Amino acid sequence: DVFEIYEDKWKHPHAKDRIHDSEKPVSISKKIMVNSTNKGELVLEPFAGSFSCALANCLNSLSRRVIGIEHDKAIIERTVQNFKDVCKKDLNVIHFNEIKN
């Protein structure tokens, strides 16, 4: 159904359990990935925040490779811990300040 995406619930802007200010529901990221990529393909999440694509990939065994970009190191630290708590796996992270020319 074309309107199925509207059944997904977004967290209230003041919700205490959000990782990022504009956190997207994992269920929406899953639908986007399933409908626009194939198993084994690379998914780029350029404004990752809570890394909802990585979570969707892990929780639903989508078999995609996900690269997420987030500039806020504090958010990345919360995201890494959340990913470990939810998926029982480590999230590999490289912070841009750690990349040497």
Side-chain angles (χ1 to χ4, degrees):
D1 183 48
V2 116
F3 296 105
E4 183 179 317
I5 197 166
Y6 296 111
E7 295 171 3
D8 297 294
K9 304 294 184 223
W10 290 65
K11 292 182 181 178
H12 187 275
H14 301 293
K16 303 244 187 283
D17 63 337
R18 292 182 325 151
I19 301 292
H20 192 273
D21 288 342
S22 59
E23 187 172 328
K24 296 167 286 307
V26 171
S27 57
I28 290 176
S29 294
K30 175 190 173 195
K31 289 174 187 175
I32 292 169
M33 291 169 59
V34 166
N35 288 301
S36 61
T37 64
N38 296 308
K39 289 182 179 183
E41 289 188 330
L42 182 63
V43 175
L44 176 63
E45 190 173 14
F47 304 100
S50 61
F51 287 74
S52 62
C53 286
L55 285 167
N57 188 53
C58 171
L59 293 172
N60 298 285
S61 302
L62 300 181
S63 301
R64 274 60 167 181
R65 296 175 298 133
V66 179
I67 294 177
I69 300 171
E70 174 58 49
H71 76 283
D72 188 323
K73 196 166 188 172
I75 290 174
I76 291 171
E77 289 170 2
R78 288 196 311 257
T79 296
V80 166
Q81 186 59 52
N82 182 60
F83 190 87
K84 185 180 275 192
D85 292 346
V86 172
C87 292
K88 310 300 183 220
K89 296 180 182 180
D90 287 326
L91 185 63
N92 297 322
V93 173
I94 300 172
H95 194 269
F96 284 112
N97 291 340
E98 299 167 359
I99 297 174
K100 306 292 182 206
N101 290 338

